[in-house]
Amino acid sequence: MRIDRRHLLEMIGVTAVMAGSPGRVPVLAEESAASAPAEPADYTIRIGTGLVELAPDHIVSTTLYNGQFPGPLIRFKEGQRTVVDIYNDTDVPELVHWHGQMIPSDVDGAAEEGSPFVPARSMRRIAFVPKPSGFRFYHTHVVAGADLNRGTYTGQAGPLYIEPKNNPGAYDQEVFLVMKEFEPAFSRGGDMAMDMLAPGVPIKELEETGARADEEAKGTPKGYEVGYALFSINGRMLGAGEPIRVKEGERVLFHVLNASATEIRSLALPGHVFRVVSLDGNPVPTPADVPLLWLGTAERVSAIVEMNHPGVFALGDLSDDDRAHGMGIVVEYSGRSGKPRWVSPKPFRWDYARFGEPGATAEPDETIDITIVKHNAAANGFNLWTLNGEAFSMDKMRPLYKIQEGRRYRLKFRNASDDIHPLHLHRHSFELVRLGGKPTAGVIKDVVMLGGFQEIEFDFVADNPGRTLFHCHQQLHMDFGFMALFDYV
Ligand SMILES: [Cu+2]
């Protein structure tokens, strides 16, 4: 989606009109019930079923925000109180989660933290002060379980940018890219093994723990996985939408979001390099050039590409099959035409530490060890996930960890499974401390990929009181045990 001011103003204008649509009884959140009801909303999100034309011969029906995919680009101003009306036109309760923002639990949009649902056929008004600045996003946060018409399998996701108080911006064009699959289906086939994270050497002890869990499963094969028929960037299959039009010498700032429910995505532009400037919307200490990007579910990368190789190219995923089914978008230099070119890049290991700085992070006040184990097909044919032996219970909603405001916590994850897990902490960001035994500092994120049979350590400061959810962002994992709650004492 290309951004221009006129378009943005139109979008705001449209939503302001929709906020006043008649015939509905608003259910107001407690917070706003006390404030003036006449206050107009700054934004309105409408959840409802609609169509997405991925290509003329591929029109899918799913649940959308404001009738479109991706949901409208929202631009908040850092530190400026914002009122959002969320209308739920569906027959099931919904939740809008403000991913990557440090806001209170009741508006964060996670039931586990105590955010109220937006009831079916009703609305809810929320208000909060957006922060911190940078590239965030918003998406549904309900349990999908075995229902592929719910949760992040639907089209409920949209990019969100929180404008900093002062914008540096040394670029000519800003382009938001939302990567997303459609038409999901379960299969018995195992996850495709992916080996793209540094350092990539499996830890023997974790392999042994994983093997013991397999033995306990008594030869039960692995549980269901999800595959997709259609792939898209900004809701269009490769070649079906408008190209990104560039001029030679231009510096284009790409904000890339992996809005997949379950997949890890990659992105390359033949003949060009990405200068990564931000991860998950947070500027990195060492911007660095890379030939391609890897993004776990819900991760964001902001990167500048200098357009110095005129032609027509596919900016696309490395997987030939996924690209053939739509995962890409055409980049077209002015004055150039023809079929988009694709050249597969050489293998490249993704290493977050490349963007960090040497030197040590602050010492934590406390370290929490968490071992992740997969129990094959233990939940009605789905893999069940445990953290230190416990699968999260949606019925009990018991906080596993008590934390204290002001303290710095180090989370040390040990992955005794062969899957990559995009680990996500709500309402806080964290600093990467150690990746596969290698120290780093200064990389601030809210989602990080943990490779199969690997370890990772990150620190967060307990600076936003309230229930805080931690989970794997892979919908199939979070729905089947891979969650934990932190609560402030
Ligand atoms: Cu996971």
Side-chain angles (χ1 to χ4, degrees):
M1 156 187 352
R2 219 102 38 102
I3 305 317
D4 67 61
R5 290 277 157 191
R6 184 183 56 82
H7 202 84
L8 182 69
L9 288 172
E10 274 174 8
M11 187 195 93
I12 295 166
V14 166
T15 55
V17 170
M18 292 198 325
S21 79
R24 281 173 199 284
V25 184
V27 178
L28 293 175
E30 299 77 355
E31 186 195 341
S32 61
S35 62
E39 183 184 18
D42 299 295
Y43 289 89
T44 297
I45 295 176
R46 224 171 179 122
I47 304 164
T49 308
L51 301 178
V52 186
E53 186 174 327
L54 299 171
D57 54 349
H58 290 296
I59 298 164
V60 296
S61 168
T62 184
T63 311
L64 300 169
Y65 290 143
N66 295 10
Q68 64 178 82
F69 187 86
L73 172 71
I74 292 179
R75 287 195 186 249
F76 285 154
K77 285 208 172 61
E78 185 182 22
Q80 188 177 310
R81 182 177 177 272
T82 304
V83 176
V84 184
D85 282 347
I86 305 168
Y87 288 83
N88 180 4
D89 295 339
T90 73
D91 296 322
V92 285
E94 267 297 344
L95 281 165
V96 177
H97 168 51
W98 305 97
H99 186 116
Q101 293 201 48
M102 279 124 217
I103 54 178
S105 301
D106 64 332
V107 290
D108 188 48
E112 297 81 0
E113 295 174 339
S115 312
F117 283 93
V118 185
R121 301 282 162 197
S122 187
M123 73 85 74
R124 184 168 179 253
R125 165 169 285 199
I126 57 170
F128 57 91
V129 178
K131 66 176 176 185
S133 64
F135 184 26
R136 316 285 163 214
F137 82 118
Y138 60 108
H139 63 83
T140 177
H141 208 286
V142 299
V143 178
D147 187 350
L148 291 172
N149 295 309
R150 291 222 75 194
T152 55
Y153 300 116
T154 68
Q156 293 174 81
L160 189 155
Y161 196 87
I162 303 177
E163 308 276 4
K165 281 169 186 150
N166 29 1
N167 202 338
Y171 53 84
D172 303 299
Q173 201 186 149
E174 189 181 33
V175 179
F176 287 78
L177 301 175
V178 179
M179 306 179 81
K180 178 76 179 173
E181 309 82 2
F182 290 91
E183 301 280 279
F186 289 118
S187 72
R188 287 188 190 278
D191 239 358
M192 210 195 307
M194 284 189 128
D195 182 26
M196 29 51 77
L197 287 174
V201 186
I203 295 168
K204 207 158 180 299
E205 188 201 334
L206 293 174
E207 287 184 317
E208 286 164 3
T209 308
R212 272 198 303 279
D214 284 349
E215 277 166 35
E216 280 163 26
K218 296 188 179 68
T220 309
K222 285 178 180 175
Y224 303 120
E225 297 290 348
V226 177
Y228 304 88
L230 301 172
F231 298 75
S232 70
I233 292 184
N234 292 348
R236 295 283 175 160
M237 292 169 73
L238 175 59
E242 286 291 301
I244 299 167
R245 295 193 172 85
V246 301
K247 293 189 192 76
E248 190 174 356
E250 240 179 12
R251 287 158 56 89
V252 179
L253 173 59
F254 287 101
H255 294 296
V256 187
L257 160 66
N258 177 358
S260 178
T262 56
E263 302 244 298
I264 288 156
R265 300 254 59 106
S266 55
L267 197 67
L269 180 61
H272 298 77
V273 294
F274 297 93
R275 167 146 297 195
V276 173
V277 293
S278 293
L279 293 175
D280 295 346
N282 310 308
V284 294
T286 312
D289 291 343
V290 291
L292 53 94
L293 308 177
W294 281 102
L295 300 98
T297 306
E299 277 191 299
R300 289 90 66 211
V301 175
S302 300
I304 289 176
V305 177
E306 210 177 303
M307 295 297 168
N308 52 12
H309 192 132
V312 181
F313 300 96
L315 168 61
D317 195 285
L318 269 60
S319 159
D320 292 335
D321 202 43
D322 296 356
R323 213 175 48 256
H325 291 91
M327 192 52 91
I329 187 167
V330 175
V331 171
E332 187 182 283
Y333 278 71
S334 68
R336 299 290 178 134
S337 58
K339 260 190 80 177
R341 278 187 63 206
W342 170 259
V343 183
S344 287
K346 291 195 194 78
F348 172 78
R349 278 196 189 276
W350 185 251
D351 186 358
Y352 296 108
R354 179 182 292 257
F355 314 108
E357 57 195 356
T361 52
E363 280 303 306
D365 296 303
E366 197 179 314
T367 299
I368 299 171
D369 286 272
I370 298 176
T371 301
I372 301 154
V373 176
K374 171 161 69 178
H375 305 271
N376 294 339
N380 297 321
F382 290 89
N383 295 324
L384 182 72
W385 296 89
T386 54
L387 307 179
N388 291 346
E390 192 165 335
F392 186 77
S393 160
M394 297 285 175
D395 302 326
K396 295 192 189 125
M397 296 269 190
R398 187 177 74 81
L400 194 56
Y401 301 103
K402 296 280 184 194
I403 54 175
Q404 234 171 15
E405 190 175 1
R407 279 165 74 88
R408 184 181 177 96
Y409 292 89
R410 179 157 301 171
L411 300 184
K412 183 174 180 180
F413 291 97
R414 299 154 53 78
N415 180 10
S417 77
D418 53 353
D419 300 63
I420 296 176
H421 300 292
L423 308 176
H424 173 46
L425 184 64
H426 281 229
R427 304 176 58 251
H428 299 73
S429 49
F430 50 77
E431 180 178 7
L432 301 185
V433 169
R434 201 173 278 273
L435 304 152
K438 200 170 83 175
T440 186
V443 177
I444 310 294
K445 296 185 61 48
D446 53 59
V447 183
V448 67
M449 282 184 280
L450 168 60
F453 304 117
Q454 299 284 300
E455 290 180 349
I456 203 166
E457 292 174 36
F458 61 71
D459 285 7
F460 75 96
V461 176
D463 56 3
N464 191 13
R467 281 200 169 194
T468 298
L469 187 62
F470 162 81
H471 64 91
C472 177
H473 219 287
Q474 218 277 25
Q475 183 90 48
L476 264 182
H477 299 180
M478 68 184 279
D479 288 350
F480 294 96
F482 203 145
M483 273 196 182
L485 264 177
F486 290 83
D487 203 3
Y488 283 72
V489 289

